[in-house]
Amino acid sequence: MSTPIVIDCDPGHDDAIAILLALASPEVELRGIVTVAGNQTVDKTTRNALKVLELAGRADIPVVSGADAPLRRPLRTAPHVHGESGLDGPDLPEPSTEPSRDDPAEWLEPGVVLVPTGPLTNVARLVERGVAIERIVWMGGAIGEGNITPAAEFNAFVDPEAAAIVFGSGVPITMIGLDVTHKALFTREHADRLRGRGSAGRVVAELSDFFQVFHERRYGFDGSPIHDAMAVAHVIDPTLVTTVHCNVGIETSSRLCDGRTVVDRWLVTGGPRNAHVGVDVDAPRFLELLIERIATLP
Ligand code: BDR
Ligand code: CA
């Protein structure tokens, strides 16, 4: 049985790879993509999503252009990580389709898992509209260190008010944060295994070549975390990531810590268990899944 999913994303190198992983995996069926401003402005992230679908020969999947700014803050983008286009590096085919005018709320039928891999602006708007969401698997947040500030992970930092709404909504949420994504590095050797394997393989290898530059410089990593693909992988195979069910609060009004996902792993606050938080990952198995699946794409 295949799980229907909707990806809400800001492509983004790892968002693009997450989309390709979903398309290559029979365990999930990608119903549609919603884009959000994050890694780049929403006009760019929308165009990038269309290009990725074009590359995979799946321009039939609808892409809806979502929020162009966070709920209550100016947009902060990440050109230092993803380049000016949001997807710098490989040549991608021009889209043959336009964004759809669908209401993504209509895609969220019972059984559909919403997989946000960017700031939670669109998801918070759905919550505020009272749209029923069965389950969310989000790439974002961190128990430990941040990446855009010492305290905050990028997706949480860009729109903390949205994250606070989503984590306060009562919708079951799984948080795949930096604590697990930084444990699985996609190396040059991994990229080389895909380079000769069709156009999707080449593009993923070239995306990782570009993405790796930032991770080498900033962290001295010998590879790059493909953050967003881990959220999709968690839906494909829930045994890859170990989670703990606990309370997560979102900081929205601090000089130093805005966007911090405050994970009460040991339940010291008595707050409700509102999230399943990733604490460990079987990195070799995740990376093999990613490579094997991308290699099957045309
Ligand atoms: C997250 O931020 C973005 O730059 C990536 O696409 C990923 O979703 C990692 O912090
Ligand atoms: Ca992303």
Side-chain angles (χ1 to χ4, degrees), residues 9-12 14-15 39 82 117-119 139 154-155 228:
C9 58
D10 59 342
D14 50 334
D15 305 78
N39 288 323
H82 299 274
T117 61
M139 189 284 131
F154 180 78
N155 292 336
D228 297 341

